[in-house]
Structure formats: structure tokens, C-alpha cells
């Protein structure tokens, strides 16, 4: 098909995990360390991680550091592209047109965490997962890893990864959560009227092999609905992220972030 739904990296539900564990099925995804403090820089014990909360959820130091590590390359790319500078290990404090790299990195990390927790909170409201805590994610990952090790020891087939690290498991869980939410039209925002589908179809180009010009709606209706729901889900996550009551002591978080990259 010509207009394919874009992949939005978000979720799995606890119920889906239970099914996966029972079936012994795993899925392939990418990876990062569970509790490692390094984000590519050094850990400075003299700079304590401050208290950061998203509503009732406490952001753990290990979660912040894991996310910080995944966003360090984004910071380097941003300052290279925008200002032609390489950050290395000493360029994190230099200001460029009002932007300071280590502060940009801290803000980017919090933004990514808000999106992640927003996806989990949507899953909580839909009854797909118990809470948005990082400890809960780690616990489910460890349970799946134990199941896979036992299955392998028993000579059973384990599809995909035998063992997940926290990065690969987050990707797996978030993607599955999105799929679970968008596949249920009873969830808020997922019901599509015929008029909605027709309007969206009319506003986009749709192609199919062997058909000249725009493919008939009946031939691409499934793709139209899938893409509509993916976009609606994306908007729901963005709205939920914006609504999170985040308490971030920025000066302390900036200092902690700098201690990790300098």
C-alpha cells in the first residue's frame, strides 16, 4: 500500500504480557542497561539526583540515567547540525545562541520521559497495565526473562529475543501497548464513523499494486483506519504528556546532568 501507518513507539499491557508469558512468545526489539548510571560520561557522587515527580509517580535516578543515555546522541546531533560544533567531553557548557548543551539534554530527557509516562497512563486508564512506574516495567521484564530462560532450558522454542535488557523491553512493551489500545475501538478516540473514514481517505493518496491512480476505498479501508488510529493515539499521548503535573527542580537537575556528561 502507498500510505502506510507510521510506527509510534508505545506499549504493552499487563494482560498481554501474561498471555505472552503463557505462550512463551517474545518479540524482537532494541536495548539498554537496567541500572547502569553511565550516560557516556562519568557518574559524580557529589551531585545527587534531585526529586523529580510526574504527579504521584517518582522518576527514579536509574530511569533518568537510562533515558539520558539514549538522548545524548540527539544532543550531539542537534548542536552539530544547528551550530556546527562537536560537543566531545568539554563542550557541554558552551552557549550557542541561547542554548547550552547540558541543559538542552536535561530538558530533552524530561520531555521523552513525559511522553513515555503519558503512554503508560493511557494504558492505565484503559485497564491495560497497572501503573506507569519504572519499577513495574523492570519487574515485568525480569518475569519475561525468567520465563524465557526456563522455556529454553526445557527445550521449548523461544521466538525473538531470549533475554531483554531494559531498552529493548521498553520498546517492546510500548509498541504492544499502542497496538492493544488502537485495536480496540471501544477505547477513547478509536471509534471511526464511515464519514470519518471517507474524509480521511479523500484527503490522502492511496495506491495499490495493479491499480492505476488512487486505490478504491474498499481496497484500502483497513490501512485508512490503521493510520487514522495511529495518528489519534499519537495525539492522545501528546495531550496526556502536556497534562502531566511535573515537578522538576531544574537547577539541581541541570547540575546532575552536567556531572554525567562532563
Amino acid at each position: 500500500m502507498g500510505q502506510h501507518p507510521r510506527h509510534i513507539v508505545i506499549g504493552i499491557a499487563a494482560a498481554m504480557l501474561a498471555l505472552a508469558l503463557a505462550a512463551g512468545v517474545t518479540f524482537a526489539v532494541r536495548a539498554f542497561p537496567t541500572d547502569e548510571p553511565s550516560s557516556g560520561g562519568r557518574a559524580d557522587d557529589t551531585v545527587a539526583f534531585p526529586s523529580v515527580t510526574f504527579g504521584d509517580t517518582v522518576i527514579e535516578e536509574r530511569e533518568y540515567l537510562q533515558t539520558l543515555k539514549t538522548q545524548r546522541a540527539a544532543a550531539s546531533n542537534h548542536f552539530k547540525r544547528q551550530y556546527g560544533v562537536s560537543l566531545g567531553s568539554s563542550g557541554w557548557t558552551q552557549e550557542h545562541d541561547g542554548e547550552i548543551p547540558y541543559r538542552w539534554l536535561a530538558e530533552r530527557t524530561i520531555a521523552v520521559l513525559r511522553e513515555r509516562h503519558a503512554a503508560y497512563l493511557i494504558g492505565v486508564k484503559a485497564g491495560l497495565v497497572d501503573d506507569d512506574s519504572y519499577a513495574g516495567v523492570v519487574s515485568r521484564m525480569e518475569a519475561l526473562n525468567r520465563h524465557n530462560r526456563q522455556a529454553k532450558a526445557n527445550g521449548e522454542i523461544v521466538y525473538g529475543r531470549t533475554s531483554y535488557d531494559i531498552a529493548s523491553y521498553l520498546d517492546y512493551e510500548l509498541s504492544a501497548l499502542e497496538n492493544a489500545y488502537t485495536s480496540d475501538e471501544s477505547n477513547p478516540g478509536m471509534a471511526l464513523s464511515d464519514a470519518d473514514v471517507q474524509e480521511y481517505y479523500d484527503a490522502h493518496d492511496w495506491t495499490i499494486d495493479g491499480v492505476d491512480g488512487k486505490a478504491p476505498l474498499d481496497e484500502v479501508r483497513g490501512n485508512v483506519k490503521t493510520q487514522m488510529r495511529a495518528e489519534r493515539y499519537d495525539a492522545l499521548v501528546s495531550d496526556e504528556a502536556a497534562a502531566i503535573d511535573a515537578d522538576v527542580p531544574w537547577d539541581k537537575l541541570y547540575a546532575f546532568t552536567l556531572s554525567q556528561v562532563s
Side-chain angles (χ1 to χ4, degrees):
M1 298 287 177
Q3 189 84 358
H4 295 290
R6 61 194 173 83
H7 176 69
I8 307 171
V9 181
I10 317 182
I12 189 179
M16 291 184 64
L17 177 59
L19 290 174
L21 291 175
V25 177
T26 63
F27 302 84
V29 274
R30 67 181 173 84
F32 52 71
T34 318
D35 299 306
E36 293 298 326
S38 175
S39 62
R42 62 180 176 81
D44 187 343
D45 293 337
T46 65
V47 181
F49 181 69
S51 174
V52 177
T53 57
F54 288 175
D56 295 331
T57 301
V58 175
I59 302 303
E60 298 184 36
E61 179 178 355
R62 60 178 176 166
E63 180 179 18
Y64 182 81
L65 287 171
Q66 173 272 311
T67 311
L68 184 79
K69 181 178 181 179
T70 68
Q71 298 308 306
R72 180 166 175 152
S76 295
N77 291 338
H78 171 77
F79 283 88
K80 182 68 174 179
R81 183 175 61 253
Q82 287 291 108
Y83 308 108
V85 297
S86 297
L87 298 180
S89 59
S90 60
W92 290 91
T93 59
Q94 299 173 6
E95 183 175 346
H96 304 278
D97 196 21
E99 292 189 313
I100 303 174
Y102 76 93
R103 290 180 174 237
W104 188 97
L105 177 58
E107 292 161 9
R108 168 74 173 239
T109 299
I110 290 295
V112 170
L113 286 170
R114 287 180 77 116
E115 292 281 323
R116 178 192 299 168
H117 282 267
Y120 278 112
L121 289 171
I122 289 173
V124 170
K125 292 176 182 178
L128 300 173
V129 70
D130 290 337
D131 59 47
D132 67 321
S133 70
Y134 189 70
V137 174
V138 172
S139 178
R140 291 189 294 274
M141 176 193 71
E142 291 174 344
L144 183 57
N145 283 343
R146 284 194 300 272
H147 173 272
N148 287 348
R149 285 196 299 270
Q150 187 60 53
K152 186 175 181 181
N154 293 340
E156 300 172 18
I157 296 175
V158 177
Y159 297 95
R161 299 178 66 101
T162 301
S163 179
Y164 289 85
D165 56 26
I166 193 62
S168 60
Y169 186 78
L170 272 168
D171 279 356
Y172 159 60
E173 189 164 72
L174 289 170
S175 294
L177 180 56
E178 178 191 1
N179 292 337
Y181 188 93
T182 57
S183 64
D184 186 349
E185 65 179 15
S186 69
N187 286 325
M190 295 300 108
L192 304 175
S193 68
D194 290 341
D196 290 335
V197 173
Q198 184 68 56
E199 181 180 1
Y200 193 87
Y201 167 81
D202 291 341
H204 297 78
D205 291 328
W206 303 90
T207 60
I208 186 171
D209 291 342
V211 176
D212 292 333
K214 191 168 186 173
L217 175 56
D218 287 345
E219 297 289 335
V220 294
R221 189 180 299 274
N223 280 43
V224 173
K225 288 184 175 182
T226 297
Q227 183 159 311
M228 289 181 70
R229 288 183 173 128
E231 291 184 3
R232 288 188 177 193
Y233 183 78
D234 193 24
L236 287 172
V237 171
S238 294
D239 290 345
E240 186 73 36
I244 288 175
D245 182 17
D247 184 2
V248 183
W250 284 108
D251 287 345
K252 293 180 180 180
L253 189 65
Y254 289 147
F256 178 81
T257 301
L258 180 59
S259 75
Q260 302 301 310
V261 298
S262 61

